[in-house]
Amino acid sequence: MENLNALRVFAKVAETRSFTDAAKHLGLTSSAVSKAITRLEQELGLRLLHRTTRSVGLTNDGASFFERCQQILVDVEDAENALNRSRAAPHGRLRVHMPVGFGRRVIVPALSGFIERYPDLVLDAELSDRMVDLAYEGIDVAVQIGELADARLIARRLCNLRFVACASPDYLARHGEPLSPEELDRHHCLAYVLMHTGRYREWQFVKDGRTFGKTVSGRLNLNNAESLLETATAGLGIAMISNFIAADALRDGRLRAILTDYVALGPQVSAVYLPSKNLSPKVRAFVDFLTDLISSNPHWDEAGGGLPYRR
């Protein structure tokens, strides 16, 4: 078949059951419509229409072909609309959610460039560590750390975090430096409290290619990573902190990384959004922004815990 115009002409004739009415809708002459149908029938080797001086009807083959034509034309229109939407500049209101620590340290400092690039976009960002329901709450994009709670969501992997065990030079001078995870039992450890379970987050280590977890706690345990950073720099104990949070303190010497031979790969960070036949320009723009930001982020380059992993 040479082009889709013949399908459009046939579909309109089948809908109106009239060459004259079809010609009016298409902006053609009745003669042009008739010739297009004749050429289509010749190309297919089938008679599609019954023609009389008073009416036009579908043959059995024509009825079957018309049903297929309708679906083809709908698919073509959807594809054209999708291309048009992908070319459209992001605009409107974009609602995003991100964890407090990762949002404050990594994403928010870079948002000025995103806002300047898309002046027709209004960004509403919530920073919290609560679980969110994207569909129910009308959130366009969320940044999530760890496994996805909702398998229906589409996830774009941004990186894997590393956690770094660290302590202040003052603490290590007073208490010594542990050389293995087993020696942590003799130290003051600052644990992260999982408030919804009342348990403490395991510290992950690697030895001889095997990853294992160790649960630690001490006299002071917190449910906020920034507070763990503050207490560790104050010399109150050893903490296991995400490298993006600890990076500045490690770089300027307020903290020192320990047990670096045992560092394990941390949880995955993802940009998640609801499945859609055609991703909106504003969602695509923000997800691409996050991908570019994380892949080239220099903030962690010299952190004692290493870079976030993208493999």
Side-chain angles (χ1 to χ4, degrees):
M1 189 169 298
E2 294 180 358
N3 55 61
L4 290 172
N5 289 331
L7 296 186
R8 293 189 174 98
V9 171
F10 168 72
K12 187 57 65 177
V13 172
E15 289 171 7
T16 61
R17 303 300 172 94
S18 167
F19 283 88
T20 302
D21 291 342
K24 290 178 181 179
H25 281 93
L26 297 169
L28 301 172
T29 65
S30 297
S31 175
V33 169
S34 179
K35 289 179 181 178
I37 296 299
T38 298
R39 285 195 297 269
L40 179 60
E41 289 178 327
Q42 290 174 347
E43 185 176 354
L44 296 173
L46 296 170
R47 192 169 186 82
L48 302 175
L49 300 171
H50 292 302
R51 303 167 178 82
T52 69
T53 56
R54 294 185 177 182
S55 66
V56 175
L58 290 168
T59 64
N60 289 336
D61 290 331
S64 177
F65 189 65
F66 175 51
E67 185 176 342
R68 296 293 184 89
C69 282
Q70 287 179 305
Q71 185 58 54
I72 291 170
L73 294 174
V74 166
D75 289 343
V76 170
E77 184 178 3
D78 285 345
E80 291 173 346
N81 289 337
L83 288 175
N84 290 333
R85 281 192 290 271
S86 68
R87 290 193 294 264
H91 64 280
R93 189 173 302 276
L94 178 69
R95 296 192 61 203
V96 304
H97 178 272
M98 60 190 79
V100 176
F102 198 84
R104 287 184 58 192
R105 294 271 178 165
V106 178
I107 301 174
V108 172
L111 283 180
S112 59
F114 179 77
I115 295 299
E116 290 174 2
R117 184 175 181 182
Y118 302 110
D120 296 327
L121 196 62
V122 175
L123 178 62
D124 291 346
E126 176 189 347
L127 278 73
S128 74
D129 294 322
R130 68 183 183 90
M131 297 295 295
V132 295
D133 186 324
L134 273 67
Y136 180 76
E137 300 181 48
I139 295 172
D140 296 298
V141 185
V143 177
Q144 292 190 7
I145 298 177
E147 295 183 3
L148 300 184
D150 189 343
R152 297 171 300 175
L153 297 176
I154 305 299
R156 173 85 71 84
R157 181 176 176 274
L158 300 175
C159 66
N160 277 80
L161 297 182
R162 275 189 183 275
F163 285 84
V164 55
C166 52
S168 70
D170 175 64
Y171 174 88
L172 295 175
R174 287 185 288 114
H175 299 281
E177 179 178 341
L179 300 179
S180 69
E182 290 74 21
E183 293 184 20
L184 289 171
D185 294 333
R186 300 196 295 270
H187 283 266
H188 300 295
C189 293
L190 306 166
Y192 188 98
V193 186
L194 303 170
M195 299 304 294
H196 60 288
T197 64
R199 298 180 179 179
Y200 302 114
R201 183 171 61 197
E202 281 191 336
W203 292 13
Q204 297 293 314
F205 298 101
V206 170
K207 184 176 183 181
D208 299 327
R210 180 179 63 88
T211 300
F212 63 95
K214 182 176 179 61
T215 300
V216 302
S217 62
R219 290 179 298 167
L220 177 60
N221 306 290
L222 303 158
N223 73 326
N224 179 269
E226 297 280 356
S227 297
L228 283 175
L229 174 68
E230 293 171 2
T231 53
T233 55
L236 297 182
I238 298 172
M240 181 75 80
I241 309 174
S242 300
N243 59 338
F244 69 88
I245 289 179
D248 288 341
L250 290 165
R251 191 175 292 115
D252 62 26
R254 286 176 293 147
L255 289 178
R256 202 170 86 205
I258 62 173
L259 302 174
T260 54
D261 292 337
Y262 295 87
V263 176
L265 186 64
Q268 179 172 305
V269 182
S270 306
V272 300
Y273 48 90
L274 293 168
S276 174
K277 189 173 183 180
N278 298 304
L279 191 61
S280 70
K282 63 182 181 181
V283 171
R284 177 180 287 107
F286 191 71
V287 173
D288 289 345
F289 156 74
L290 292 175
T291 302
D292 293 341
L293 173 66
I294 304 306
S295 65
S296 60
N297 196 318
H299 184 64
W300 302 316
D301 283 356
E302 298 175 4
L307 284 167
Y309 274 47
R310 292 188 57 81
R311 68 185 180 202

